[in-house]
Amino acid sequence: MSAILVINSGSSSLKYSLIDIEQENLLASGLIERIGQDASPVAHTVRPESDGTAMPTMLDATYRDERPIADHAAAFEIMRAQFAAHGPSLEEHRPVAVGHRVVHGGARFYAPTLIDADVERQIDELAVLAPLHNPANLAGIRAARAVFDQVPHVAVFDTAFHQTLPPAAYTYAIDAALAAEHRVRRYGFHGTSHQFVSEAAAAFLGRDLGSLRQLVFHLGNGASVTAIDGGRSVETSMGLTPLEGLVMGTRSGDIDPAALVHLSRRAGLSIDDLDSLLNTRSGLAGLAGRSDMRDILAGVEAGDDAAMLAFDVYVHRLRAYAGAYIAQLGGVDVISFTAGVGENSAPVRAAAMATLGFAGVEMDAARNEARERGIRRISTNTSPVTVLVVPTDEELQIARQTAELL
């Protein structure tokens, strides 16, 4: 069996998945949180094994613990202890490689990349473009390479899928020399998810990926939409950082830059104050005091004015981007929703698509509201544009790209 260990390292967390890449089966996954604090919750979930021909009869088993974990190196030792105590055995399912999620690859990294000391150095250099993400990703890489020192490690970049953006899409209309000196351009994010979903949609429909014009809405606490033409990203809503674009849980998305100048001059907000405002006190949380879409919808049901406005602003931005990107593509064949909100919120999907009849979207209300798992169609059978819900699997995509590279 060929197992690949997938690592997603955050500033105070370690998320991991062990995947049998031959069968594309998830063997186990885990999450270690609050690294560096007094008490770090640990959750390790073991999947029942299957030979790929039948559904396993047992349910997933999750083992929970809590203990102080000083740093990412210690977290990796805890992860190994979880595998040893609860399975599956890393001796029987020895990883042949480790795949790492890295948020920002700049313009340097356009494909999965074998990690060495020079790649580590470049990821560190790119931290200036993603100060909340790349240092944490790098900490996970270094800890993993120390523990799993006999196997190759591969970096899979969130930005890589968007390296096919044309200059007209990634260029900001500011002083060109200044932009070039400081690498200011649109990079885009959630690329691993957008690629997985667009490929899964084509496979589900039995269509050639190269023939499809697609929109993928990745709607979670972070949110982005990408226009994909023939399997290539040609437009995406996130920019230099993950802040641009759609309204998100705590991030503002698009805003007039002069508003920040105004707040600095009139309210005395510093650069750090503005950064905190836009990233942690805006979006749904800024509008309604709640960042979770489920809470927003509960507020809408209760007639809460702030929740209703937050929902309307959120949907307004979704429709605006849908219309713009359909225009850029010259029409659309498939629209997919994914991630926490996209996969689970029927009201968001219905409202976002409600005005797109002119583009060929015909929603099936019963399908949209059905509580089903897996990839599914939520448009009518006769709709010129197919609308899907496609559960994303970024870990599997990272494992696939790791295996393909090796």
Side-chain angles (χ1 to χ4, degrees), residues 358-369:
F358 75 93
V361 173
E362 297 175 1
M363 292 287 283
D364 185 309
R367 285 176 174 174
N368 184 46
E369 294 168 7

Side-chain angles (χ1 to χ4, degrees), residues 4 112 195 399-406:
I4 289 179
Q195 183 176 8
R400 285 174 175 172
Q401 294 190 23
T402 299
E404 289 168 3
L405 175 64
L406 298 177

Side-chain angles (χ1 to χ4, degrees), residues 62-204:
T62 298
Y63 304 89
R64 300 185 186 278
D65 192 7
E66 191 170 284
R67 65 184 74 187
I69 300 175
D71 52 27
H72 284 80
F76 270 89
E77 292 303 325
I78 295 298
M79 179 193 73
R80 290 211 298 177
Q82 295 298 304
F83 277 109
H86 308 299
S89 168
L90 290 181
E91 293 301 318
E92 295 180 10
H93 304 281
R94 188 183 302 275
V96 297
V98 181
H100 296 266
R101 179 197 181 212
V102 180
V103 167
H104 216 309
R108 304 178 189 181
F109 296 105
Y110 53 86
T113 303
L114 196 64
I115 298 172
D116 57 19
D118 184 57
V119 171
E120 283 192 15
R121 178 187 59 77
Q122 294 187 67
I123 292 172
D124 190 29
E125 288 180 356
L126 288 165
V128 68
L129 298 176
L132 298 179
H133 298 94
N134 273 35
N137 302 153
L138 187 56
I141 288 171
R142 287 171 172 163
R145 292 186 74 197
V147 173
F148 300 97
D149 58 350
Q150 300 300 313
V151 300
H153 290 248
V154 175
V156 177
F157 298 88
D158 276 10
T159 50
F161 181 61
H162 302 300
Q163 287 299 300
T164 54
L165 291 176
Y170 70 67
T171 303
Y172 290 120
I174 64 171
D175 179 89
L178 187 67
E181 180 181 358
H182 296 284
R183 294 176 287 186
V184 176
R185 50 159 286 184
R186 175 174 285 110
Y187 292 100
F189 298 88
H190 292 148
T192 305
S193 176
H194 286 294
Q195 183 176 8
F196 177 88
V197 169
S198 60
E199 292 174 355
F204 175 76

Side-chain angles (χ1 to χ4, degrees), residues 229-264:
D229 192 2
R232 295 165 59 87
S233 171
V234 296
E235 184 67 278
T236 194
S237 58
M238 286 180 166
L240 173 73
T241 75
L243 180 60
E244 187 179 0
L246 303 177
V247 174
M248 305 177 218
T250 63
R251 298 178 215 161
S252 65
D254 293 341
I255 186 171
D256 182 350
L260 308 182
V261 177
H262 174 75
L263 288 172
S264 178

Side-chain angles (χ1 to χ4, degrees), residues 4 7 36 81 96 116 168 230 257 259-260 263 277 297 322 328 340 348-349 379:
I4 289 179
I7 298 297
V96 297
D116 57 19
L260 308 182
L263 288 172
L277 169 68
L297 291 173
Q328 293 286 6
V348 167
R349 296 190 299 259
S379 54

